[in-house]
Amino acid sequence: MQANIYLADAVKNIIRKITPAGEVSTLAGTQDVVGSADGTGAAASFNNPSGIATDSAGNVYVTDTYNHTIRKITPSGVVSTLAGSQGVIGSTDGNRCGSEL
């Protein structure tokens, strides 16, 4: 079974999805819009997204570099902040209150 490929476009601040058939779409974010908003699809925003990982449930995890956060994107495109605080640099261990894992 072939899987989707996900791409963090750090220049355009969007997350792209490429299907096994080669169809390319924007999973989350709006091209050239910088921000840190959680939301669904184009309502979410990123600031230099980079590293990407996925899990067996189809969730996508993104390193939102300049926001200093880890973002979670569900298969339906709902973006939430999983770890870190926008604009706060650090490496403190702890729990993210109010966030679902």
Side-chain angles (χ1 to χ4, degrees):
M1 181 175 129
Q2 293 182 331
N4 294 322
I5 297 172
Y6 297 93
L7 170 74
D9 187 332
V11 174
K12 297 186 184 299
N13 292 303
I14 55 177
I15 309 303
R16 305 287 276 171
K17 174 180 159 181
I18 306 166
T19 68
E23 296 174 20
V24 180
S25 62
T26 300
L27 177 64
T30 299
Q31 184 171 314
D32 300 323
V33 173
V34 175
S36 63
D38 289 339
T40 302
S45 57
F46 299 88
N47 191 354
N48 197 269
S50 55
I52 285 195
T54 58
D55 66 19
S56 60
N59 296 302
V60 177
Y61 300 89
V62 179
T63 304
D64 197 355
T65 306
Y66 293 162
N67 283 325
H68 310 290
T69 57
I70 305 296
R71 312 289 290 283
K72 175 183 175 183
I73 309 171
T74 66
S76 60
V78 177
V79 178
S80 59
T81 301
L82 183 64
S85 296
Q86 188 271 330
V88 178
I89 299 171
S91 61
T92 304
D93 292 337
N95 294 323
R96 170 94 178 149
C97 297
S99 182
E100 295 180 27
L101 295 178

